[in-house]
């Protein structure tokens, strides 16, 4: 079992964050979620998974390989060994900040190899040192990374992920609040807890707007749209996905444009607006082909085929009914 280093919340804001993030999992909501159309749910394109905040450059940590598993090579094992020696040297010399940074660096190497439990052990040591030194930035960094790794380990660790996300939120700056609220919202969505998910994605959108960061605004809008879709609130889902598309177009992010068109197609499919769905899927396919996103193209082609079949069936039935009237 993964252990996390906790610190008692002191302010009303921290207590509220702790309560919000550590609420008991709604089992009934999970069952409702599982009973929904799994294929449609899984087809909805999310703009991101759980977010990690940036590591300060002064920490000089190994490069993070997002989305790419990097198996532990002899070079990586030597780096881990070197970091181990460095932690001991820093501890003996009383350089505790350096010791914490070395532990964090080891965590990144384990993360890159998707050895999340090992990474968590390293981040916990960094966290303990940060708490001892009163380093709030270090605490926020550690809580974020432990939370993400617990999140990635799956359902069994989700309560611990929420615990860490809550602590990260209580220590975070505006950019950190965006990440924390996004992560909490994504996790709640996965549990079928859509109301707190929507609330957190709204907070994420507010933070992104404060930052003036359009890419972050697009992420928050899309996540709100996905939450609306999962609740079958297609009006909200459509409005949010249209905003996601508009921002993605403004910042010339073609991949996110393709995802937005696909998501709008999925929403229209659920509403049985088949002509609109066909147009959205066609747009998504055209854009995805232009940037070489073959998996996205394949998914949209399947959806388009289903829609084309429904349109032909509706046309055929209309003809049959017309003949019967004659």
């Amino acid at each position: 079992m993964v252990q996390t280093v906790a610190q008692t919340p002191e302010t009303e804001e921290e207590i509220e964050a702790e309560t919000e993030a550590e609420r008991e999992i709604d089992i009934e909501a999970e069952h409702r979620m599982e009973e929904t159309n799994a294929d449609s749910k899984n087809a909805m394109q999310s703009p991101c998974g759980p977010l990690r905040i940036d590591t300060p450059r002064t920490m000089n940590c190994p490069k993070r390989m997002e989305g790419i598993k990097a198996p532990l090579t002899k070079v990586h094992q030597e780096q881990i060994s070197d970091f181990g020696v460095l932690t001991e040297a820093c501890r003996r010399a009383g350089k505790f900040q350096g010791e914490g940074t070395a532990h964090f660096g080891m965590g990144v190497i384990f993360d890159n190899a998707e050895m999340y439990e090992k990474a968590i052990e390293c981040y916990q040591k960094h966290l303990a040192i940060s708490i001892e030194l009163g380093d709030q930035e270090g605490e926020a960094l550690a809580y974020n990374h432990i939370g993400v790794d617990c999140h990635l380990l799956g359902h069994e660790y989700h309560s611990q992920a929420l615990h860490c996300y809550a602590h990260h939120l209580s220590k975070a700056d505006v950019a950190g609040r965006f990440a924390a609220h996004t992560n909490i919202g994504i996790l709640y969505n996965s549990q079928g807890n859509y109301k707190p998910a929507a609330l957190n994605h709204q907070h994420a959108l507010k933070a992104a707007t404060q930052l003036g960061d359009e890419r972050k605004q697009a992420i928050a809008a899309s996540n709100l749209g996905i939450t609306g879709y999962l609740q079958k609130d297609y009006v909200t889902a459509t409005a949010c996905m249209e905003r996601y598309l508009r921002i993605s177009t403004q910042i010339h992010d073609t991949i996110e444009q393709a995802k937005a068109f696909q998501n709008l197609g999925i929403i229209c499919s659920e509403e049985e607006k088949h002509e609109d769905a066909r147009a959205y899927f066609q747009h998504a396919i055209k854009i995805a082909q232009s940037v070489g996103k073959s998996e996205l193209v394949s998914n949209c082609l399947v959806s388009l085929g289903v829609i084309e079949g429904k349109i032909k069936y509706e046309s055929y039935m209309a003809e049959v009914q017309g003949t019967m009237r004659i």
Side-chain angles (χ1 to χ4, degrees), residues 47-84:
C48 67
L51 300 175
R52 298 186 194 273
I53 59 175
D54 292 333
T55 305
R57 291 184 181 180
T58 53
M59 290 180 68
N60 196 26
C61 288
K63 184 178 180 182
R64 184 172 293 283
M65 309 296 288
E66 294 291 358
I68 303 172
K69 184 176 180 179
L72 286 182
T73 64
K74 185 178 179 180
V75 172
H76 293 134
Q77 289 169 347
E78 288 173 354
Q79 285 181 317
I80 290 170
S81 178
D82 289 342
F83 275 126

Side-chain angles (χ1 to χ4, degrees), residues 14-216:
E14 287 180 296
I15 293 169
E16 183 179 353
E18 180 89 8
T19 302
E20 179 69 21
E22 293 195 271
R23 67 175 59 194
E24 187 175 5
I25 295 173
D26 183 349
I27 301 299
E28 290 182 7
E30 286 190 60
H31 290 165
R32 288 196 301 272
M33 180 188 69
E34 290 166 0
E35 290 167 1
T36 61
N37 187 321
D39 290 336
S40 295
K41 179 191 71 176
N42 291 334
M44 185 68 77
Q45 289 288 316
S46 175
C48 67
L51 300 175
R52 298 186 194 273
I53 59 175
D54 292 333
T55 305
R57 291 184 181 180
T58 53
M59 290 180 68
N60 196 26
C61 288
K63 184 178 180 182
R64 184 172 293 283
M65 309 296 288
E66 294 291 358
I68 303 172
K69 184 176 180 179
L72 286 182
T73 64
K74 185 178 179 180
V75 172
H76 293 134
Q77 289 169 347
E78 288 173 354
Q79 285 181 317
I80 290 170
S81 178
D82 289 342
F83 275 126
V85 172
L86 182 59
T87 59
E88 289 298 324
C90 288
R91 186 182 302 118
R92 287 196 300 268
K95 297 179 179 179
F96 301 117
Q97 193 84 50
E99 181 190 349
T101 298
H103 284 303
F104 192 91
M106 276 194 279
V108 173
I109 295 173
F110 284 124
D111 262 345
N112 288 342
E114 297 182 6
M115 298 172 68
Y116 300 126
E117 289 180 315
K118 285 282 189 182
I120 288 169
E121 290 176 12
C122 297
Y123 296 142
Q124 286 172 335
K125 291 173 183 176
H126 172 81
L127 174 61
I129 291 171
S130 296
I131 291 173
E132 185 69 24
L133 296 176
D135 178 5
Q136 290 212 7
E137 184 180 8
E139 289 180 55
L141 185 67
Y143 276 124
N144 167 257
H145 281 65
I146 296 169
V148 169
D149 282 350
C150 287
H151 195 155
L152 294 173
L153 280 170
H155 175 77
E156 182 183 348
Y157 295 89
H158 280 181
S159 62
Q160 291 161 289
L162 285 171
H163 170 88
C164 291
Y165 289 156
H167 277 289
H168 173 212
L169 185 60
S170 72
K171 308 291 181 185
D173 57 12
V174 179
R177 290 202 301 274
F178 167 78
H181 281 302
T182 297
N183 291 343
I184 293 169
I186 290 171
L187 203 151
Y188 275 139
N189 262 347
S190 74
Q191 296 175 344
N193 290 323
Y194 302 131
K195 287 185 179 179
L199 179 63
N200 275 282
H201 288 314
Q202 287 167 5
H203 285 311
L205 180 58
K206 182 179 179 181
T209 303
Q210 280 182 269
L211 292 166
D213 189 319
E214 291 181 309
R215 193 172 301 278
K216 286 181 171 61

